[in-house]
Structure formats: C-alpha cells, structure tokens
C-alpha cells in the first residue's frame, strides 16, 4: 500500500529557499509552475492513481493574457523559459476552475496569485484535481443548492461543527479527539432536516471538499503547518458573507486530515455515490443521538457558543432587511431579463444570497453567452433553474452596449434589446 506522507517542516523551508533564489522573467509565474510540478512529481500519481500535473493556464484578467505550462500549437508560442504566452479567447470566462480549450482540459488560475506560497500550491493543485475529476469518476457533479447555510440555524450549526473540528485537529488525545468529532457530526446531522439538505451538502463536499483535501495533502506541508493552515482557513471563513458555496473547503479537509491517521488512503474508497457524512460516521465508528440538546453540548465544551450566537442573531436581523430589499427589487421593479443560450459564468462563491422561489443573488458576476458579455459589479439574480439572469432596468442603450446601474452588456452582432410589457429582454 502506497501512502503519501507529509514532509518535514525543514524540507518545506528548503523548497522555499530554492524558489526564492530562482531568477527569470515573470518570476512568480515560473516559480509557481516549477514548485507545483516538483510537488506532484514526488506524489508520482500514487494519491489518486492518476497523474495530477497537466495543462495549467494562469491568466491576467485585464489583458486576458495567459501563461501556459504547455505549448498548444505546432508553431512555438512566446516561450518565456518555463511557460508559453497566449491570449484567452473572449468566449471563455475567467475563474479558478477547469476548462476545455484547444483539445485539452486545463486547470485555469486567475491572477493575482495568493501571496503565500502555501496557498499558491493549494490553489493550483485544487484546480488540477478538477482537471482530472472526470477520469476519477466524479464527472457531472451538479451544482447543489445549499441555501439553508445562509439561514440562522444553518450557519449556527455549521460554525459549531467547525469549532468542534478545530478542537479535534488540535487535540493529541485519541479519546478526546473522537469526542470532538462526535460533537461535530452531531451538529452536522442536526442540519439535515430532510434528505435534500443532506444530499445537497454532500454534492458540494464531493466536488470541492475532495479537491481541497487533495491540495492540502499534496502541498506536502509538515504537520505543524497543515494544522496552522486548517485552523487559519476555518477562522478566515467566518468573514465570508455566506457559506452556501464555500463550506466544503473547510469541513472535508479537517475530517479527512484526522481520518488519514487511521486510514491513510481513505479517499480511494470514495466515489460519486458515497455520502461522506455516513462514511465518516462509519470510519470513526460513531453513533449519534440527534435528540440530544445542543445546549447540553455547549455547556460541556463551550465551542464559542455565546459569541457565535450573538453574531448570528445580529446577522440574521441584517439578512432579513437585505432579503426584503432584494425581493422588492426583483418583483416590484422594472428589470432586464436575459435568457441563457450557451452560458459560461464566473462569480465569487463567498458572497451569494439565496432568494426563496426566485433564485440566487450574485453581487458580482461575469456571463459570456451567444448574445455577448455581461459584467455585473453590484448585483444580478440567476433563476432557480439556471435558465436566465436578471439585472436592473437599462439606463443607456446603443447598438453594441447596454448599461444599467453597476452593470453593462456588450452585445454581439445580430442581438438587440426589446421592451417586453413592463420589463426588458433580448432578441436575435
């Protein structure tokens, strides 16, 4: 059995010193490629049984200039030592993701890179996992709706779970560690008011949680650094406006990191049909009583219960006011409804707001479709079934550009705007 082990802290520091001494054009890009390549060569495909390192593009948003670790044409691109340079086509959205381009599947990374080398490694390896995701049997994972994680109860229970997990990863006592994990799984299962919630959380954890866990382990931090990273990530997550699309980045890496001490290759037992909650209960040999009162638990272990409760009470009051305003905007006001044709989309997963029976509000958004490019700086609504995007009414209209409050749409040739009763839409 092959097990990917953590590096020593000394090894990691040596790698950093070697990187710092490297000289060349566009040093940061060169070093990012070189560093991740060396990390994944150490893995030698043993972690998932597939080669993770492959085509990567790092893209500068303004000029859409992309730095490639592989050549894509018979003729040479602008070769800058450890990378090639090209321009990202306008019909491809820019995000941290994986994409199909030029007959290859690429990991796409958006500049600027994180300042921390550790976070650079994790980001690139995370997206490299997504690049080979179909080969691992995790293809076609649908976008789940975890709107319950924007509600008071959902957020409260998630934060308590994360607090319990932090205690578990820090604890050196095996029995105490299992008690913390048991509490974490209890908080989690109390969120599952119905099977749909359980399924929705699991879909995101399979999709993003496994990617983040893979990046954590293959970045080869020593144990001290890995623990620091897990706790720092958890603490930083509390400043996110929402957990709807981001919670899996914190839960699975912590459960997985603890579990690997017992079952080093546990991830190889996971497939697209695995329910990770049930899997963790089985592997940790834990049974829980969801009738147990949360107050009983918090009186024993604290878990920052009072602080979390106070914060979430205040947030809930603000959330209700914001929801009322958003509902009014998209139901009582004149709006511009744009139907999707062949949509590519880029957005920030940390600030979206679910709107019951309407869809999801995205404060910032870029959509590329047959009709053109929509750029949103302060708010758009995407319908529940992802067939259209809705923005505020147009304020300026020309043949090639439509502008509203904090959004603009660059129209492709052959498309125009149409007033449809009280609202606007597009026609070709």
């Amino acid at each position: 059995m092959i097990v990917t082990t953590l590096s020593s802290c000394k090894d990691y520091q040596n790698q950093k010193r070697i990187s710092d001494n490297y000289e060349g054009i566009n040093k940061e890009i060169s070093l990012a490629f070189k560093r991740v390549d060396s990390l994944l060569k150490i893995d030698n495909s043993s972690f998932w049984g597939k080669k993770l390192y492959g085509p990567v593009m790092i893209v500068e948003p303004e000029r859409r200039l992309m730095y490639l670790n592989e050549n894509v044409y018979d003729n040479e691109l602008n070769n800058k030592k450890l990378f090639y340079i090209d321009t990202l086509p306008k019909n491809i959205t820019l995000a941290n993701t994986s994409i199909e381009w030029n007959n290859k599947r690429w990991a796409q990374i958006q500049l600027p890179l994180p300042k921390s080398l550790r976070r650079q490694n994790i980001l690139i390896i995370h997206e490299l996992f997504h690049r080979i995701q179909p080969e691992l049997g995790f293809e076609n994972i649908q976008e789940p709706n975890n709107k319950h994680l924007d509600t008071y109860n959902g957020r409260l229970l998630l934060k308590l779970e994360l607090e319990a997990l932090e205690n578990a990863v820090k604890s050196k006592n095996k029995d105490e560690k299992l008690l913390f994990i048991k509490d974490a799984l209890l908080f989690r299962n109390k969120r599952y008011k119905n099977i749909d919630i359980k399924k929705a959380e699991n879909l995101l954890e399979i999709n993003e949680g496994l990617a983040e866990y893979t990046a954590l382990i293959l970045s080869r931090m020593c144990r001290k650094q890995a623990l620091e990273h897990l706790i720092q990530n958890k603490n930083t997550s509390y400043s996110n406006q929402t957990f709807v699309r981001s919670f899996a980045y914190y839960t699975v890496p912590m459960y997985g990191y603890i579990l690997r001490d017992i079952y080093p290759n546990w991830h190889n037992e996971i497939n697209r049909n695995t329910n990770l909650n049930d899997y963790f209960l089985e592997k940790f040999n834990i049974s829980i009583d969801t009738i147990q009162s949360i107050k009983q638990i918090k009186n024993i272990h604290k878990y920052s219960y009072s602080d979390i409760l106070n914060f979430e009470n205040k947030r809930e009051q603000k959330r209700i006011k914001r929801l009322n305003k958003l509902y009014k905007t998209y139901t009582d006001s004149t709006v511009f409804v744009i139907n999707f044709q062949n949509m590519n989309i880029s957005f920030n997963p940390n600030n979206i707001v679910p709107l019951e029976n309407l869809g999801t509000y995205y404060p910032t958004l870029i959509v590329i479709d047959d009709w053109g490019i929509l750029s949103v700086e302060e708010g758009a609504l995407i319908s529940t079934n992802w067939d259209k995007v809705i923005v505020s009414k147009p304020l300026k209209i020309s043949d090639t550009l439509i502008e509203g409050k904090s959004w603009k749409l660059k129209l492709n040739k052959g498309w125009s705007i149409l007033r449809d009763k009280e609202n606007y839409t597009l026609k070709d």
Side-chain angles (χ1 to χ4, degrees):
M1 178 175 66
I2 300 174
V3 177
T4 300
T5 58
L6 292 172
S7 301
S8 69
C9 287
K10 184 177 180 181
D11 289 340
Y12 197 86
Q13 293 302 325
N14 284 340
Q15 181 199 49
K16 184 178 185 298
R17 281 198 295 273
I18 292 170
S19 296
D20 287 343
N21 291 331
Y22 180 85
E23 296 295 334
I25 300 172
N26 289 293
K27 179 179 178 182
E28 182 182 37
I29 305 276
S30 296
L31 292 179
F33 284 143
K34 184 177 181 181
R35 201 169 51 250
V36 172
D37 184 21
S38 66
L39 286 170
L40 295 181
K41 278 179 179 175
I42 296 171
D43 170 61
N44 194 27
S45 306
S46 65
F47 196 72
W48 283 107
K50 298 282 185 180
K51 181 182 176 183
L52 259 73
Y53 196 71
V56 181
M57 61 171 68
I58 298 178
V59 188
E60 178 191 315
E62 286 190 10
R63 295 184 294 172
R64 298 181 70 82
L65 196 65
M66 56 182 178
Y67 302 85
L68 312 171
N69 67 339
E70 292 188 8
N71 195 8
V72 292
Y73 303 110
D74 292 335
N75 57 312
E76 285 290 305
L77 292 177
N78 186 4
N79 185 355
K80 298 295 183 181
K81 294 197 174 181
L82 291 182
F83 55 79
Y84 301 86
I85 297 177
D86 201 357
T87 302
L88 186 70
K90 291 183 178 180
N91 65 337
I92 298 178
T93 51
L94 178 56
N96 294 325
T97 186
S98 61
I99 65 167
E100 297 285 344
W101 176 67
N102 210 287
N103 300 316
K104 290 184 180 182
R105 187 171 172 89
W106 296 77
Q108 185 190 80
I109 312 295
Q110 181 174 341
L111 288 174
L113 294 174
K115 293 180 180 179
S116 159
L117 294 183
R118 181 191 306 175
R119 292 190 178 277
Q120 285 186 26
N121 294 343
I122 287 177
L123 171 61
I124 297 173
I125 296 172
H126 179 112
E127 301 308 336
L128 281 167
F129 172 87
H130 284 314
R131 191 189 72 82
I132 68 162
Q133 205 166 325
E135 298 176 48
L136 299 176
F138 299 117
E139 74 280 10
N140 301 322
I141 300 292
Q142 68 186 73
E143 291 290 338
N145 187 341
N146 285 291
K147 60 187 178 182
H148 63 284
L149 291 177
D150 203 46
T151 66
Y152 172 79
N153 283 330
R155 285 177 57 90
L156 175 65
L157 289 165
L158 177 61
K159 281 188 171 182
L160 290 173
E161 178 185 5
L162 293 173
E163 291 292 319
L165 284 171
E166 178 182 346
N167 284 336
V169 298
K170 290 193 298 188
S171 176
K172 296 179 181 180
N173 181 286
K174 181 179 177 182
D175 292 335
E176 182 183 59
K177 189 184 290 284
L178 285 174
L179 284 175
F180 289 133
I181 294 170
K182 183 175 182 178
D183 286 349
L185 288 166
L186 174 62
F187 294 135
R188 161 186 285 254
N189 280 268
K190 277 187 172 292
R191 289 200 302 273
Y192 299 157
K193 294 181 179 179
N194 56 60
I195 192 64
D196 290 338
I197 288 177
K198 185 176 181 179
K199 287 180 178 178
E201 287 198 11
N202 190 64
L203 283 171
L204 194 66
E205 289 190 316
I206 290 286
N207 195 41
E208 298 294 352
L210 288 180
E212 192 71 0
Y213 173 72
T214 299
L216 171 73
I217 302 303
L218 297 187
S219 64
R220 301 187 70 83
M221 290 178 279
C222 67
R223 184 173 293 274
K224 178 183 176 183
Q225 291 166 330
L227 292 176
E228 287 175 353
H229 175 79
L230 288 169
I231 294 167
Q232 185 181 56
N233 251 20
K234 168 253 167 188
N235 291 337
T236 303
S237 75
Y238 287 4
S239 63
N240 292 347
Q241 293 183 36
T242 181
F243 292 113
V244 170
R245 286 293 307 274
S246 62
F247 77 97
Y249 286 76
Y250 320 118
T251 54
V252 174
M254 286 203 274
Y255 282 114
Y257 189 80
I258 299 166
L259 187 59
R260 79 187 302 272
D261 285 336
I262 311 170
Y263 302 102
N265 291 325
W266 68 266
H267 57 282
N268 291 134
E269 298 180 358
I270 308 302
N271 60 57
R272 60 175 293 123
N273 297 315
T274 304
N275 184 276
L276 287 173
N277 176 76
D278 297 344
Y279 181 84
F280 292 146
L281 283 170
E282 177 188 349
K283 288 299 179 180
F284 285 118
N285 194 24
I286 286 173
S287 60
I288 57 174
D289 178 13
T290 54
I291 299 175
Q292 185 178 6
S293 167
I294 291 177
K295 290 185 178 181
Q296 290 176 322
I297 298 173
K298 69 96 181 179
N299 285 334
I300 299 171
H301 296 306
K302 303 302 182 189
Y303 296 138
S304 303
Y305 183 82
S306 296
D307 291 340
I308 294 173
L309 201 67
N310 290 335
F311 179 91
E312 292 304 326
N313 274 325
K314 292 176 182 177
R315 181 189 183 275
E316 182 68 2
Q317 294 174 22
K318 293 178 182 177
R319 184 180 79 96
I320 291 172
K321 289 181 180 179
R322 188 183 189 195
L323 287 179
N324 289 338
K325 183 178 179 180
L326 289 174
Y327 274 110
K328 185 175 179 61
T329 298
Y330 292 105
T331 55
D332 296 344
S333 305
T334 299
V335 294
F336 183 14
V337 181
I338 309 171
N339 292 314
F340 292 143
Q341 308 292 321
N342 296 291
M343 168 268 291
N344 284 300
I345 188 168
S346 174
F347 60 90
N348 180 356
N350 294 320
N351 61 9
I352 61 179
V353 181
L355 300 179
E356 192 74 34
N357 300 322
L358 287 183
T360 303
Y361 174 78
Y362 293 77
T364 57
L365 191 68
I366 296 176
V367 181
I368 298 176
D369 208 317
D370 294 350
W371 31 255
I373 302 175
L374 173 68
S375 303
V376 179
E377 295 179 0
E378 289 185 21
L381 179 75
I382 292 183
S383 61
T384 303
N385 56 0
W386 279 70
D387 64 345
K388 56 182 171 285
V389 58
I390 303 169
V391 293
S392 59
K393 68 179 180 180
L395 300 177
K396 296 181 182 179
I397 299 174
S398 72
D399 291 341
T400 58
L401 183 65
I402 305 172
E403 296 182 75
K405 184 180 178 182
S406 301
W407 64 264
K408 58 183 169 182
L409 170 59
K410 294 181 182 179
L411 275 180
N412 287 335
K413 187 176 180 181
W415 290 84
S416 60
I417 191 168
L418 174 70
R419 183 70 185 257
D420 182 15
K421 297 181 181 179
E422 296 301 316
N423 295 314
Y424 295 82
T425 188
L426 284 179
K427 68 173 183 176
D428 60 350

